[in-house]
Amino acid sequence: MIKFLGYALDVGILLVILSLLLYLAFRIYDTSYFKGKRGEKKVAKFLKKCSLSGDKQIDNLYLINPNNQMTVQIDHLLISTRGIFVIETKNLSGTIYGSDKRREWIQTFGYGNSTYTFYSPVKQNYTHICTLKDLFHPAVRVNNVVIFAQNNTARIKSESVYSLSAFKKFLNEQPQTLLTERARDELYTEILRYRNSHKISVRKHVKNIRAMQKDMKKNICPRCKGRLVLRNGPYGEFYGCERFPKCNFTKQLDD
């Protein structure tokens, strides 16, 4: 007999308890939340290795959209002499199918036997960029970058999506004169000042995401609160914001 938490237990029972605890710990470790956090940590380290002297990196940045008070969370913001890069990390396994034209992307396992859909990270990141631009008015173009930490980008048709090595190559090809040292430092300081004065909790962010999802079901634009109206485009009918071109949010008919 062995004492465990003050109780005398048989060795066999103790082993069962330890096995259950290990199983629960593994299940928690394997959840999408912790997978995402591991991916963000991996990409954060990768970006630091790619950075030049004087580059500024901010991870896990929460912002409040000044137009509708919705919150966004930027995984990584790189402010460099080579430009500004808003980076969304995805740590998804399996085969990923997606394109800039599609709002819903597909993740498959086992030759397509298991299939899941998720919101386009390119469109998700575009919302982050709009908020950043509305708040800080950066002096140069802001690059929309989505990095798949597991490098499974072969089936994705988007100029914004990169594997780790592909983004490093893209970054090294950019001229180092796009953003002056003064403009870079001023933007970095302004963003840090904003973050210190706007404490945004994870709970508030999740609450805002749920509110946005409810708006979309009611055909309300989550970006500016305008109405989503039926429009015709080169790929068929879709819902677009009534305030276009000021707001170019779109939603597919089958959403």
Side-chain angles (χ1 to χ4, degrees), residues 190-207:
E190 187 179 2
I191 291 174
L192 290 186
R193 188 183 299 117
Y194 173 93
R195 185 168 69 175
N196 291 335
S197 62
H198 294 76
K199 302 297 183 182
I200 303 171
S201 65
V202 175
R203 176 180 291 184
K204 180 178 180 180
H205 180 56
V206 172
K207 182 179 179 180

Side-chain angles (χ1 to χ4, degrees), residues 1 5 9 26 49-51 57 70 82 90-91 95 120 160 170 177-178 198 220 239-240:
M1 304 293 287
L5 298 179
L9 298 176
F26 174 77
K49 292 180 180 179
C50 296
S51 296
Q57 178 179 331
M70 298 297 291
R82 297 171 289 190
K90 289 299 177 186
N91 191 25
T95 303
S120 163
S160 299
F170 167 76
T177 56
L178 292 178
H198 294 76
I220 298 173
Y239 285 104

Side-chain angles (χ1 to χ4, degrees), residues 112-139:
N113 293 328
S114 298
T115 302
Y116 304 91
T117 60
F118 60 100
Y119 183 61
S120 163
V122 174
K123 293 185 181 298
Q124 176 187 359
N125 209 36
Y126 178 73
T127 301
H128 303 166
I129 290 172
C130 288
T131 301
L132 182 80
K133 292 168 70 174
D134 286 343
L135 284 171
F136 304 109
H137 309 287

Side-chain angles (χ1 to χ4, degrees), residues 1-164:
M1 304 293 287
I2 297 176
K3 282 194 173 183
F4 181 71
L5 298 179
Y7 296 92
L9 298 176
D10 182 84
V11 174
I13 295 175
L14 180 60
L15 289 175
V16 170
I17 293 174
L18 291 175
S19 297
L20 287 173
L21 291 174
L22 287 172
Y23 173 75
L24 290 173
F26 174 77
R27 290 300 299 269
I28 293 172
Y29 179 80
D30 201 45
T31 58
S32 58
Y33 174 81
F34 284 102
K35 281 183 178 179
K37 290 301 178 183
R38 292 197 298 274
E40 290 175 20
K41 186 176 180 180
K42 178 179 180 180
V43 172
K45 289 183 178 179
F46 165 78
L47 292 173
K48 289 178 181 177
K49 292 180 180 179
C50 296
S51 296
L52 300 174
S53 176
D55 284 359
K56 308 295 184 182
Q57 178 179 331
I58 304 174
D59 301 314
N60 195 31
L61 174 64
Y62 286 92
L63 303 174
I64 301 176
N65 190 307
N67 297 319
N68 55 26
Q69 299 304 302
M70 298 297 291
T71 58
V72 300
Q73 186 255 339
I74 295 175
D75 289 340
H76 317 283
L77 175 64
L78 181 61
I79 306 171
S80 169
T81 57
R82 297 171 289 190
I84 300 172
F85 305 86
V86 172
I87 301 166
E88 173 72 15
T89 291
K90 289 299 177 186
N91 191 25
L92 301 175
S93 54
T95 303
I96 310 297
Y97 297 88
S99 71
D100 289 334
K101 301 173 185 176
R102 301 296 301 173
R103 187 175 178 276
E104 297 292 331
W105 288 18
I106 299 173
Q107 176 189 26
T108 66
F109 300 94
Y111 302 99
N113 293 328
S114 298
T115 302
Y116 304 91
T117 60
F118 60 100
Y119 183 61
S120 163
V122 174
K123 293 185 181 298
Q124 176 187 359
N125 209 36
Y126 178 73
T127 301
H128 303 166
I129 290 172
C130 288
T131 301
L132 182 80
K133 292 168 70 174
D134 286 343
L135 284 171
F136 304 109
H137 309 287
V140 297
R141 175 177 175 265
V142 180
N143 295 276
N144 188 343
V145 175
V146 179
I147 296 180
F148 277 76
Q150 298 193 29
N151 300 319
N152 45 351
T153 59
R155 304 286 183 174
I156 301 174
K157 298 178 180 179
S158 172
E159 295 181 355
S160 299
V161 172
Y162 298 89
S163 64
L164 293 169

